[in-house]
Amino acid sequence: MTDPLTILPPDLSNTSTSTLIAWLGAIQSTLTSRNSGGIRAVLLTEEIPLKIILLVDDEKAVTDLLQVILSIGYEIVIARGSSAALKAVEIKTPDIALIDWVLGDESGAPLCYELHRLFPDMPIIILSGYRISLKEAQEVGAVQVIDKPYSPIVLIDEIEKLLGGGVE
């Protein structure tokens, strides 16, 4: 079997629930069996607040899957579009944002720009199924672009690089 951490299924909207559950089980098993390669365990207690990831994607299957993967070590705030994301950040200030470049009928670019204006020190990663340049992403305030399909390990590594780990 291919290492489940190698690639995120490119089209989760057409993936069956049983396939996703099997894939998540394989990821859990793989993460549990690894002793190195950047995988680390963090003992979390109520006294140690988690860093907050704002995840903005219009595809429920993507947000559900990333929530499972990233919730080990981070608090995840999910928004399905720009207006929901801006309302969410009024309630909780994220430490990092993961923004889909295409949010249904709207572009994620104006959201990136507005989040950068509101939180100039917050890193923004654009997740995109379209090839966009880092320069184009930086023009709207993002610091990184990760092309779909992507490895969950690549995403986790990038988040940890930008935040320095999952706990404050």
Side-chain angles (χ1 to χ4, degrees):
M1 177 179 172
T2 303
D3 183 347
L5 299 176
T6 304
I7 193 163
L8 186 66
D11 187 3
L12 294 175
S13 61
N14 292 327
T15 304
S16 71
T17 302
S18 60
T19 301
L20 286 175
I21 290 169
W23 188 73
L24 286 172
I27 287 176
Q28 182 180 20
S29 175
T30 302
L31 287 174
T32 302
S33 67
R34 287 190 177 183
N35 295 326
S36 62
I39 304 300
R40 60 184 171 82
V42 178
L43 176 60
L44 300 176
T45 66
E46 291 181 34
E47 295 83 31
I48 301 174
L50 298 176
K51 292 192 177 178
I52 299 169
I53 296 175
L54 173 65
L55 173 58
V56 186
D57 198 305
D58 59 318
E59 291 186 49
K60 185 178 182 332
V62 172
T63 58
D64 288 352
L65 184 60
L66 288 178
Q67 182 174 21
V68 169
I69 293 168
L70 297 173
S71 64
I72 303 170
Y74 298 97
E75 180 179 344
I76 311 301
V77 175
I78 294 174
R80 302 259 187 264
S82 296
S83 61
L86 292 172
K87 287 177 187 171
V89 300
E90 290 176 6
I91 298 166
K92 272 194 185 222
T93 303
D95 295 292
I96 191 168
L98 308 176
I99 312 291
D100 187 17
W101 189 244
V102 177
L103 297 166
D105 293 337
E106 64 179 318
S107 167
L111 175 61
C112 291
Y113 183 80
E114 183 62 15
L115 288 173
H116 181 66
R117 187 187 69 75
L118 293 170
F119 310 104
D121 295 328
M122 179 185 68
I124 299 171
I125 299 174
I126 293 175
L127 305 174
S128 179
Y130 301 88
R131 298 289 181 223
I132 65 167
S133 70
L134 181 58
K135 182 179 184 227
E136 186 177 4
Q138 289 170 334
E139 289 172 358
V140 296
V143 297
Q144 186 59 275
V145 176
I146 299 179
D147 294 321
K148 295 179 183 177
Y150 48 82
S151 160
I153 294 299
V154 169
L155 181 60
I156 291 167
D157 286 348
E158 190 62 32
I159 291 168
E160 288 187 351
K161 180 177 86 176
L162 293 168
L163 292 181
V167 293
E168 294 183 350

